[in-house]
Amino acid sequence: MVIVEYSRAGRSSVSEDGRLRAEDLPLGRVIELGDHHVTREEIISFATQWDPQSFHVDEVFARETVFGDVIGSGLHTMAVFQRLAVAGAYRHWAVVAGRAIREVSLTSPLRPDTTVHATLTVDSVVPHSEQRALVSKTGRVMDGDGLLMTIHVDSYVLRRA
């Protein structure tokens, strides 16, 4: 992704370190974050370490559930989103720190051997101090069948001097 793609005409949108400031984030525009292919092995490995519930790690048990197979943990879906958000947007922004995960909706399960796609929309940029602004965003993770997750997150991003 090219940093200047986000800039607004007539403004110096890139900070000294090459990252975008809060005022120059693309308010209201959908940012495509890219794709990630989720394998069965990845689902089981992630869940074994972080959410070892039977329907995530036990293929025999999972076949007998309503899902018919292992499914990825909601935490796994969030982790995939975060990875794509960092690679596709946040690494280009002057992010100070995360502030809040306000809401997460898991509308469909993360299934094995599926390619997911994520997007991010900047909902608001509110000055918090002279140095930083609170940036509210909505992220979405989808597969070929539809929406898997919606997440509303806030973070602090440096402002222009």
Side-chain angles (χ1 to χ4, degrees), residues 77 103-107 138-141 147-152:
T77 307
E103 182 181 343
V104 177
S105 297
L106 300 164
T107 52
T138 299
R140 291 178 178 81
V141 177
L147 186 66
L148 303 183
M149 182 190 81
T150 303
I151 185 168
H152 300 277

Coordinates of all heavy atoms in Angstrom, one line a residue, residues 77 103-107 138-141 147-152:
T77 N -10.3 -15.1 14.8 CA -10.8 -14.2 13.8 C -10.4 -12.8 14.0 O -9.9 -12.1 13.1 CB -12.4 -14.3 13.7 OG1 -12.8 -15.6 13.6 CG2 -12.9 -13.4 12.6
E103 N -16.8 -3.1 20.5 CA -17.8 -4.1 20.2 C -17.3 -5.1 19.2 O -16.6 -4.7 18.3 CB -19.1 -3.5 19.7 CG -20.2 -4.4 19.4 CD -21.5 -3.7 18.8 OE1 -21.6 -2.5 19.0 OE2 -22.3 -4.4 18.3
V104 N -17.6 -6.3 19.4 CA -17.3 -7.4 18.4 C -18.5 -8.2 18.2 O -19.2 -8.6 19.1 CB -16.1 -8.3 18.9 CG1 -15.8 -9.4 17.9 CG2 -14.9 -7.5 19.2
S105 N -18.9 -8.4 16.9 CA -20.0 -9.2 16.5 C -19.4 -10.4 15.7 O -18.9 -10.1 14.6 CB -21.1 -8.5 15.8 OG -21.6 -7.5 16.6
L106 N -19.6 -11.6 16.1 CA -19.2 -12.8 15.3 C -20.4 -13.3 14.7 O -21.2 -14.0 15.4 CB -18.5 -13.8 16.3 CG -17.2 -13.2 16.9 CD1 -16.8 -14.1 18.1 CD2 -16.1 -13.1 15.9
T107 N -20.6 -13.1 13.4 CA -21.9 -13.4 12.8 C -21.9 -14.8 12.1 O -22.9 -15.4 11.8 CB -22.3 -12.3 11.8 OG1 -21.2 -12.1 10.9 CG2 -22.6 -11.1 12.5
T138 N -14.2 0.9 12.1 CA -15.0 -0.3 12.0 C -14.2 -1.3 11.1 O -13.9 -0.9 10.0 CB -16.4 0.0 11.5 OG1 -17.1 0.9 12.4 CG2 -17.2 -1.3 11.3
G139 N -14.0 -2.5 11.6 CA -13.4 -3.5 10.8 C -14.3 -4.6 10.4 O -15.3 -4.8 11.2
R140 N -14.1 -5.2 9.3 CA -15.0 -6.3 8.9 C -14.1 -7.4 8.3 O -13.2 -7.1 7.6 CB -16.0 -5.8 7.8 CG -17.1 -4.9 8.4 CD -18.0 -4.4 7.3 NE -19.1 -3.5 7.9 CZ -18.9 -2.3 8.2 NH1 -17.7 -1.7 8.0 NH2 -19.8 -1.5 8.8
V141 N -14.5 -8.7 8.6 CA -13.9 -9.8 8.1 C -15.0 -10.6 7.4 O -16.0 -10.9 8.0 CB -13.2 -10.7 9.2 CG1 -12.6 -11.9 8.6 CG2 -12.1 -9.9 9.9
L147 N -20.3 -12.1 5.7 CA -19.7 -11.4 6.9 C -19.4 -12.4 8.0 O -20.3 -13.1 8.4 CB -20.6 -10.3 7.4 CG -20.0 -9.4 8.5 CD1 -18.8 -8.6 8.0 CD2 -21.1 -8.4 9.0
L148 N -18.2 -12.4 8.5 CA -17.9 -13.3 9.7 C -17.8 -12.5 11.0 O -18.2 -13.0 12.0 CB -16.5 -14.0 9.5 CG -16.3 -14.8 8.2 CD1 -14.9 -15.4 8.3 CD2 -17.4 -15.9 8.1
M149 N -17.3 -11.3 10.9 CA -17.0 -10.5 12.1 C -17.1 -9.0 11.8 O -16.6 -8.5 10.7 CB -15.7 -10.8 12.7 CG -15.4 -10.1 14.0 SD -13.7 -10.3 14.5 CE -12.9 -9.0 13.5
T150 N -17.6 -8.2 12.7 CA -17.5 -6.8 12.7 C -16.9 -6.4 14.0 O -17.3 -6.9 15.1 CB -18.9 -6.1 12.6 OG1 -19.5 -6.6 11.4 CG2 -18.8 -4.6 12.5
I151 N -16.0 -5.5 14.0 CA -15.3 -5.0 15.2 C -15.2 -3.5 15.2 O -14.9 -2.9 14.1 CB -13.9 -5.7 15.3 CG1 -13.2 -5.3 16.7 CG2 -13.0 -5.4 14.2 CD1 -12.0 -6.2 17.0
H152 N -15.5 -2.9 16.3 CA -15.4 -1.4 16.4 C -14.3 -1.1 17.4 O -14.3 -1.6 18.6 CB -16.7 -0.8 17.0 CG -17.9 -1.1 16.0 ND1 -18.1 -0.3 14.9 CD2 -18.8 -2.1 16.0 CE1 -19.1 -0.8 14.3 NE2 -19.6 -1.8 14.9

